């Protein structure tokens, strides 16, 4: 039995796509279990660039099975666009290779619209969402106003569902936001067309998961976003609407908790975040630009193109991530970027309001903005490490940095990424 769960340790964008793509080569089955097309994984393979928003990146491996689990929210229009785009890039997408849970909720066009209207209503004080309709879709799921992919397979049921829900949505769009209402017939026609195309892929993934577990397949769970964006454990309300931590795997894919063998926390060698909200180790001006623009791929969102906020590695935040997901191993990404800085700072504790040093981020994030990071300084290596493939060949200072991270977190660093390409990966421990 081998189920490897991947979790973003920070605020998303930890380079999960690259690590997941690397691990996919060993996995038989890859599962997405939460989030939607707010995620953006960029994967470079032999000079070809692939961007994934919702299709699991295991699809690049010809003989893998890929599952979009029940915990995901699926925009059927965007999913079909992505499938068409990948097909045009030469990727074979068949119902044997891609299975989509009928229990997954649909991001309806009014969810997208409401997400944008709400961000505009809040002006500069919004959450800074990706405007993909993620929050409104999860809201409706919990409020029991949702539409599920199974509903797209039954035109009569879908019509009844839309006729019951749309008048309320249109009233909110018009009366609260002064937006344009949606026409029920147009909406139904477009959803029915999506349903017809997606029908061969929509299935009972609980049964598929049970079967692949029984067959002893190697399963990789592809986490999206990061710990600090988790709806329960993150920097509420500046976060996404799903459980991005390890527990989300069980409810979002029907993998039983006792089947999980490894929880791989993926963390950048420094920290970034997009959107609003507290960020204790944030850098500004030239110092932030140095991290943002170093390396072949800069710190700009794959989904929205927004420049990411950049800062130093934050150990109290990472200790918290390890705590809430039970992280067993770390993959440290973008270590090559730290070649660009003269010296490295790492927050190893926070001074709280009373001036006391705290080793772990507090669950009361209302005090996070007032925490002052306690920094330790380590030397940088100031040389290109992007072609190194063995840990022993890293400069001493880079090894010392990795060792310090392990000591601070008390978790082994199993993988190190030194560039965006597959071969720019140092493996210290095999996870499958
Ligand atoms: P939403 O998920 O679109 O509702 O956005 C909520 C917050 O999560 C915003 O601050 C987004 O920038 C952030 N977010 C959502 N998805 C990602 C991601 O894949 N990487 C980084 N941040 C994300």
């Amino acid at each position: 039995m081998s189920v490897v769960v991947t979790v973003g340790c920070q605020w998303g964008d930890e380079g999960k796509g690259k690590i997941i793509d690397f691990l996919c080569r060993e996995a038989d089955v890859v599962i997405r279990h939460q989030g939607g097309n707010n995620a953006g994984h960029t994967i470079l393979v032999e000079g070809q660039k692939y961007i994934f928003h919702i299709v699991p990146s295991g699809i690049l491996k010809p003989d893998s099975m890929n599952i979009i689990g029940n915990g995901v929210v699926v925009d059927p229009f965007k999913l079909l666009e992505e499938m068409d785009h990948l097909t045009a890039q030469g990727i074979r997408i068949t119902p044997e290779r891609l299975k989509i849970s009928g229990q997954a909720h649909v991001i309806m066009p009014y969810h997208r619209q409401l997400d944008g209207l709400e961000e505009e209503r809040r002006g500069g004080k919004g959450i800074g969402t990706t405007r993909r309709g993620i929050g409104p879709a999860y809201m409706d799921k919990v409020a029991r106003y949702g539409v599920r992919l199974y509903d797209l397979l039954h035109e009569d049921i879908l019509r009844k569902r839309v006729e019951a829900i749309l008048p309320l949505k249109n009233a909110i769009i018009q009366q609260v936001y002064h937006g344009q209402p949606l026409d029920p017939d147009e909406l139904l026609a477009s959803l029915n067309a999506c349903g017809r195309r997606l029908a061969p892929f929509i299935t009972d993934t609980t049964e598929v998961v049970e079967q692949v577990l029984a067959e002893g397949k190697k399963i990789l769970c592809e986490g999206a976003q990061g710990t600090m964006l988790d709806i329960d454990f993150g920097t509420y309300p500046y976060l996404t609407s799903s459980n991005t931590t390890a527990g989300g795997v069980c409810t979002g894919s029907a993998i039983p908790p006792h089947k999980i063998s490894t929880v791989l926390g993926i963390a950048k060698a420094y920290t970034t975040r997009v959107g609003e909200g507290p960020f204790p180790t944030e850098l500004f001006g030239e110092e932030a630009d140095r991290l943002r623009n170093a390396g072949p791929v800069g710190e700009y969102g794959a989904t929205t193109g927004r420049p990411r906020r950049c800062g130093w590695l934050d150990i109290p935040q990472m200790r918290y991530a390890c705590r809430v997901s039970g992280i067993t191993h770390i993959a440290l990404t973008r270590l090559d970027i730290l070649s660009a800085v003269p010296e490295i700072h790492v927050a190893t504790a926070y001074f709280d309001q009373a001036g006391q040093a705290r080793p772990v981020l507090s669950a009361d994030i209302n005090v996070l903005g007032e925490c002052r990071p306690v920094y330790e300084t380590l030397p940088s290596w100031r040389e290109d490490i992007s072609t190194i493939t063995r840990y022993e060949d890293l400069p001493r200072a880079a090894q010392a940095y990795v060792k310090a991270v392990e000591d601070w977190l008390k978790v082994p660093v199993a993988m190190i990424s030194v560039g965006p390409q597959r071969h720019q990966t140092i493996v210290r421990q095999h996870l499958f």
Side-chain angles (χ1 to χ4, degrees), residues 54 74 130 190 257 267 312 335 420 423:
I54 187 146
V74 178
T130 59
S190 60
W312 296 118
L335 189 64
H423 62 268

Side-chain angles (χ1 to χ4, degrees), residues 185-365:
D185 292 323
E186 272 177 35
L187 178 62
L188 280 165
S190 60
L191 287 171
N192 286 330
C194 289
R196 282 192 289 275
R197 280 197 63 196
L198 289 174
F201 301 91
I202 297 172
T203 188
D204 178 357
T205 54
T206 64
E207 193 183 348
V208 178
V209 167
E210 184 183 44
Q211 197 173 334
V212 291
L213 281 168
E215 288 166 1
K217 299 274 196 224
K218 292 180 187 157
I219 300 173
L220 180 69
C221 301
E222 176 175 330
Q225 292 88 43
T227 301
M228 301 314 294
L229 296 174
D230 182 282
I231 185 71
D232 285 282
F233 298 119
T235 45
Y236 198 90
Y238 301 103
L239 36 71
T240 193
S241 301
S242 62
N243 281 117
T244 60
T245 47
V249 166
C250 303
T251 52
S253 72
I255 291 195
H258 63 279
K259 297 282 185 192
I260 296 172
S261 43
T262 302
V263 182
L264 178 68
I266 304 175
K268 265 180 199 164
Y270 50 97
T271 312
T272 61
R273 123 164 255 186
V274 284
E276 301 304 317
F279 180 177
T281 60
E282 184 166 11
L283 293 168
F284 300 93
E286 249 177 57
E287 280 193 299
D289 285 343
R290 199 181 285 139
L291 289 174
R292 188 176 295 121
N293 298 321
V297 183
E299 291 289 5
Y300 298 88
T303 300
T304 58
R306 289 181 285 180
R308 295 179 185 139
R309 297 157 68 192
C310 297
W312 296 118
L313 189 66
D314 184 339
I315 294 294
Q317 181 273 307
M318 295 266 294
R319 287 191 183 115
Y320 176 78
C322 291
R323 175 195 283 171
V324 296
S325 284
I327 286 169
T328 58
H329 300 77
I330 295 277
L332 200 60
T333 64
R334 293 180 72 89
L335 189 64
D336 54 307
I337 300 302
L338 293 183
S339 303
V341 299
E343 57 184 16
I344 304 167
H345 302 277
V346 178
T348 53
Y350 297 150
F351 282 127
D352 66 13
Q353 268 175 312
Q356 240 190 317
R358 303 267 172 204
V360 187
L361 175 144
S362 164
D364 179 3
I365 68 98

